[in-house]
Amino acid sequence: MRTVHDVKDDDTASYFRLHDAHQAMLGLSTWETSLRKGRIPIQSDFTQQVLWPKEPLFTSVYESLSQLALARLVKRHPEVMTSVLLGVVKVVVEFITLERRGMVVVKDEDEITYEEYGIEDDLTLQDADSEQYDIEYVPLSEEELERLAQSLSNELAQEWNGVVRGVSMLDRKRPSTTGRINKFSPRKRSINPEDMLGVEVDKADPTSVSGLW
């Protein structure tokens, strides 16, 4: 992976590290096993390795994808498995990067400005440096991490919402794969003239319908 860097654990660089990639490989194996069974993994599935992704992201992703019934889609259409797993990895990488980067704090003589989640472009930092602002990053609080996890999980669910609904509609329109043909019982015709408006009735057999007018 291009964004994987082998750095020391005390390094605060905003990179998806080699250790993170190893945890992701183990976690994805559990995710794939559960999705093939038609369900999102739960915490008890991670018996051989640590929970992946870690909290609070795991709970947010679990709730968002469960409400979407995405696991059912994967079970019926296993060809989308890779795309779903890549979507989860993307969310995890972004969460880890923003968590380690924290919020950027731009200190001025009169005020302090906080940029939520540290999401800012290079130009903003260059302008701040050129004006000799004191810039630093501060860790995100637990509440901010929960908001970040929920935001990223919602984005993932939105990406798949249209796919799930569209495929579900197509599946309902497809013919049965069992090879059985639905048989309908003959409908008993009413001999009430008011019920037979618009059709021609054989006078010799009032219960039959010979055609339309």
Side-chain angles (χ1 to χ4, degrees), residues 4-182:
V4 174
H5 293 259
D6 187 8
V7 297
K8 297 180 180 179
D9 291 337
D10 59 352
D11 195 315
T12 57
S14 301
Y15 291 119
F16 192 68
R17 305 169 186 171
L18 188 59
H19 173 74
D20 300 321
H22 177 68
Q23 294 296 327
M25 292 176 61
L26 296 176
L28 286 172
S29 176
T30 300
W31 272 78
E32 182 177 3
T33 300
S34 297
L35 288 173
R36 291 191 184 280
K37 298 178 181 178
R39 64 178 179 84
I40 303 297
I42 57 178
Q43 293 190 12
S44 60
D45 292 325
F46 296 86
T47 56
Q48 303 299 323
Q49 73 269 7
V50 297
L51 183 67
W52 188 88
K54 66 178 184 179
E55 295 289 9
L57 184 59
F58 177 84
T59 297
S60 295
V61 172
Y62 174 86
E63 292 176 350
S64 297
L65 299 188
S66 295
Q67 295 174 2
L68 192 62
L70 186 60
R72 187 184 308 170
L73 170 69
V74 176
K75 184 177 182 180
R76 297 172 65 179
H77 300 276
E79 64 272 14
V80 304
M81 172 75 76
T82 301
S83 297
V84 172
L85 294 179
L86 286 175
V88 175
V89 170
K90 177 182 176 182
V91 168
V92 175
V93 171
E94 189 168 0
F95 180 85
I96 291 176
T97 300
L98 296 178
E99 178 190 19
R100 289 176 179 162
R101 178 182 297 175
M103 287 192 302
V104 60
V105 179
V106 182
K107 296 181 179 180
D108 198 354
E109 294 180 357
D110 300 324
E111 63 180 0
I112 299 178
T113 302
Y114 294 88
E115 296 292 342
E116 188 174 18
Y117 305 148
I119 304 176
E120 78 291 321
D121 54 33
D122 294 336
L123 180 61
T124 302
L125 291 179
Q126 291 175 3
D127 292 342
D129 289 338
S130 65
E131 297 179 13
Q132 297 182 348
Y133 287 131
D134 184 10
I135 299 175
E136 65 178 353
Y137 289 94
V138 297
L140 297 176
S141 65
E142 292 185 3
E143 181 180 353
E144 290 164 343
L145 287 174
E146 291 179 358
R147 294 209 319 265
L148 174 60
Q150 189 62 55
S151 175
L152 295 175
S153 300
N154 289 341
E155 290 180 5
L156 178 61
Q158 290 175 3
E159 290 178 4
W160 282 96
N161 182 52
V163 176
V164 172
R165 296 182 61 180
V167 173
S168 179
M169 292 179 61
L170 291 175
D171 287 344
R172 287 198 298 267
K173 294 180 179 180
R174 290 178 180 175
S176 173
T177 58
T178 61
R180 298 176 58 185
I181 300 177
N182 294 327

